[in-house]
Amino acid sequence: MLTNEVVLPQSAMSFAPERPARSRSMTLPDHDLVIAAQKGDRAAFSRLYAGYAPMVHGILLARVPRDEVEDLLQDVFLTALKRLSSLRDPRSFGAWLATVTRNRANDYHRAPHGSELPEQIPSHRPMETEAWFVMRAIRNLPEAYHETMTLRLVEGMNGPEISARTGLTEGSVRVNLHRGMAMLREALAKKAV
Amino acid sequence: MSEHDNDYLWDKSGPVDAEIQRLETLLEPYRCGDLPPLPLPKRRAWLFLPPFALVGAVAAVVVMVGSWFVLRAISAQTWTVSVLAGEAHLGSLALSGSARLHAGEIFETGEGATARIRMPVGRLDVEPNTSLRLIESKHNQQRLSLLRGTIHARVSSPPRVFIVDTPSAVATDLGCAYTLHVDPSGDGLLRVTHGWIELEWRGRDSLVPTGAVAVTRAGAGPGTPFFEDSSEPFRAALSAYDFSAGALADVLKAASPHDAISLLNLVRNAPAADRGAVYDTLARLVHPPAGANRSSALAADPHALDPWWPAVGIGHPPAR
């Protein structure tokens, strides 16, 4: 039995980021997209969502269980939309969004959970099992490195992109990548032994 | 080559580092995939006002503070449904993206359609041909009715906050992940993948731990939980005892130590005349733990079986 209650049409309540935006925001640089989004241009925010989702995804993946990442990613962008008007420098959007993301991950760990659900551990396919162990090794790297390493190895971003998106200096990203990779090689070699 | 000379690591230029390339390939399944639609609240113009314009709104905000606290409490309990594939309906309207699910509304997925529902206490993955109704969403109780179909629940709330009504049982989450199916006749199947579920029906309740399943029948309620890798004779005897007036002796004869979880639930739910035989079989298959008390168990003392749960290797159920 269906209710007769009227709900808003879909177009008023959500958007799909892969859908081509119709406004001029299609071609704007990021800081102009931020300004447009601050003025209420949802197509511009859609572009930011599509462009920065891999960064947010990577930061979350480095910190919370994989199964929680998708939901938290949406939380992060909804929070960002609410707080966007408080961002003074549109050029610092990436760094600001990264901070929002880290805070959301911290909130996740602080929130009471009835019981901590385990990560899914693949057991039948050797490739998946190895990927799970590699991902765990990355998460176990020092905090300074695991985020940058996740963005590089999982999300496929290169060093300059990580710097541009997160607001970290290129020097910091380079150090994080090099030291993190050396530690990861060491950890994986120990496991192999 | 030192890491500092590794251009491939830095910007993917230079000679390919085979180990890094291997890790990239290996980790690709973890990469951010297709983005789900972002469920946006209805647009509120004040979100986009410049800061100075907000000054004039302060007085109005003061007046609205009381309302704000109420709205905040309500919004914290929001359920959002996102259709991932196929056709679905929210109430009488077709839904192809995301929307909020309000108490009293029915959400249905069609043939081949799937959806994800984000709840304040976790999430539900909804299989095709499923119909569910949100009963209530309060901070201390999140309740839905699964009318038919299949949901996969992943719940992170304290025990007893998330509850699912079905035509043949009430499933109360005790901190867990599980799959619940209801067929058109009202019969159901619960499969717990992590944690515990309590199934209740007309004063009779069963505790279903990780790895166990329980069948429910319309008009009869939940059957006794069992592990899916229990022997076929045991499962058949248990089903007959639960739903067809089969003989208890057949259940006890086919039971092995692996079936202790079923026997523990039977001690709780079997008619008083049967409990003694069930308890004695359990004590024969599993060495009675310290604190085990037969007479208390047969008298249906709710805590009499507490020492037994860890003794059969599944740990303590959450406080009840």
Side-chain angles (χ1 to χ4, degrees):
Chain A
M1 184 181 70
L2 298 177
T3 67
N4 292 321
E5 191 170 345
V6 174
V7 295
L8 283 175
Q10 167 55 26
S11 58
M13 303 174 76
S14 72
F15 58 77
E18 64 278 12
R19 194 177 300 153
R22 285 177 298 232
S23 74
R24 69 188 186 91
S25 61
M26 275 299 283
T27 57
L28 292 176
D30 284 358
H31 62 274
D32 285 341
L33 286 175
V34 174
I35 292 170
Q38 284 179 318
K39 292 176 180 172
D41 183 342
R42 293 210 163 170
F45 192 77
S46 173
R47 297 283 298 164
L48 292 170
Y49 177 44
Y52 282 83
M55 179 195 79
V56 171
H57 189 271
I59 293 174
L60 290 170
L61 189 62
R63 288 173 165 79
V64 304
R66 182 185 185 185
D67 283 353
E68 306 295 340
V69 169
E70 189 178 309
D71 286 350
L72 294 181
L73 183 145
Q74 294 210 346
D75 280 353
V76 166
F77 278 97
L78 291 175
T79 300
L81 178 65
K82 286 179 188 170
R83 297 180 186 169
L84 197 57
S85 60
S86 68
L87 177 63
R88 292 186 177 181
D89 180 4
R91 285 181 172 77
S92 63
F93 176 75
W96 174 79
L97 186 63
T99 301
V100 171
T101 307
R102 294 181 196 111
N103 289 341
R104 184 65 190 87
N106 292 338
D107 289 346
Y108 169 82
H109 288 294
R110 276 197 290 265
H113 297 283
S115 66
E116 198 67 32
L117 297 176
E119 285 258 32
Q120 183 185 356
I121 305 174
S123 55
H124 301 303
R125 299 178 185 169
M127 285 279 285
E128 290 180 8
T129 304
E130 187 182 0
W132 185 86
F133 278 109
V134 172
M135 199 60 233
R136 192 175 68 166
I138 292 173
R139 285 181 175 141
N140 286 338
L141 294 174
E143 188 168 346
Y145 308 142
H146 66 182
E147 179 179 305
T148 311
M149 290 295 290
T150 304
L151 294 175
R152 172 65 185 84
L153 295 179
V154 180
E155 303 301 341
M157 299 164 68
N158 63 31
E161 286 171 341
I162 295 170
S163 172
R165 280 283 188 260
T166 63
L168 292 171
T169 65
E170 288 201 357
S172 294
V173 173
R174 191 182 285 271
V175 168
N176 291 347
L177 283 177
H178 292 155
R179 291 184 181 168
M181 191 64 218
M183 294 178 76
L184 181 61
R185 286 188 208 271
E186 193 178 329
L188 297 179
K190 278 182 186 170
K191 179 183 172 293
V193 173
Chain B
M1 180 172 61
S2 79
E3 297 294 359
H4 283 274
D5 300 326
N6 193 331
D7 287 336
Y8 185 77
L9 176 61
W10 170 242
D11 60 5
K12 303 184 184 179
S13 67
V16 171
D17 182 315
E19 173 66 0
I20 292 175
Q21 191 177 51
R22 192 183 74 83
L23 293 176
E24 288 174 320
T25 304
L26 197 63
L27 295 172
E28 204 168 302
Y30 282 79
R31 185 172 294 179
C32 183
D34 291 339
L35 295 173
L38 193 59
L40 292 176
K42 281 186 283 185
R43 187 172 161 181
R44 297 183 177 105
W46 61 267
L47 283 172
F48 306 102
L49 289 175
F52 67 81
L54 292 176
V55 174
V58 166
V61 169
V62 170
V63 174
M64 295 170 66
V65 158
S67 303
W68 181 82
F69 276 106
V70 173
L71 290 172
R72 184 168 175 263
I74 293 171
S75 65
Q77 306 305 324
T78 297
W79 288 45
T80 304
V81 56
S82 299
V83 178
L84 304 178
E87 291 187 0
H89 283 80
L90 182 57
S92 58
L93 297 180
L95 179 68
S96 60
S98 298
R100 292 190 177 181
L101 180 61
H102 301 95
E105 285 182 333
I106 291 179
F107 175 69
E108 294 186 315
T109 53
E111 185 74 33
T114 57
R116 172 166 288 182
I117 297 176
R118 300 171 69 222
M119 314 177 288
V121 295
R123 69 162 187 252
L124 299 176
D125 287 319
V126 184
E127 294 280 316
N129 298 316
T130 296
S131 177
L132 59 86
R133 182 186 202 120
L134 177 58
I135 304 296
E136 66 177 336
S137 178
K138 297 177 179 172
H139 77 280
N140 61 348
Q141 186 156 112
Q142 307 279 317
R143 191 172 196 129
L144 69 86
S145 177
L146 178 60
L147 306 171
R148 62 175 161 76
T150 305
I151 57 172
H152 307 280
R154 193 171 173 87
V155 183
S156 55
S157 69
R160 301 193 175 285
V161 171
F162 181 65
I163 298 170
V164 179
D165 295 328
T166 78
S168 48
V170 176
T172 301
D173 167 76
L174 302 179
C176 65
Y178 63 92
T179 295
L180 187 56
H181 170 79
V182 171
D183 68 24
S185 71
D187 293 349
L189 179 69
L190 168 73
R191 177 177 285 112
V192 178
T193 49
H194 179 75
W196 295 78
I197 279 283
E198 181 185 78
L199 282 178
E200 191 273 336
W201 182 256
R202 295 178 182 170
R204 175 181 165 184
D205 64 80
S206 300
L207 286 170
V208 191
T210 302
V213 299
V215 174
T216 67
R217 292 275 175 86
T224 306
F226 58 90
F227 287 121
E228 285 187 283
D229 57 355
S230 293
S231 70
E232 181 55 38
F234 177 77
R235 292 164 58 181
L238 195 61
S239 178
Y241 178 73
D242 284 336
F243 301 119
S244 311
L248 176 66
D250 294 339
V251 176
L252 302 183
K253 182 181 175 186
S256 74
H258 186 54
D259 303 315
I261 175 64
S262 302
L263 299 182
L264 276 167
N265 273 287
L266 274 178
V267 173
R268 292 157 50 89
N269 289 316
D274 287 351
R275 284 182 209 148
V278 177
Y279 188 95
D280 292 341
T281 301
L282 176 66
R284 178 172 55 79
L285 296 172
V286 179
H287 184 69
N293 185 315
R294 185 178 189 275
S295 57
S296 295
L298 301 194
D301 176 343
H303 297 293
L305 295 175
D306 286 354
W308 278 97
W309 301 103
V312 301
I314 53 173
H316 280 288
R320 306 179 60 240

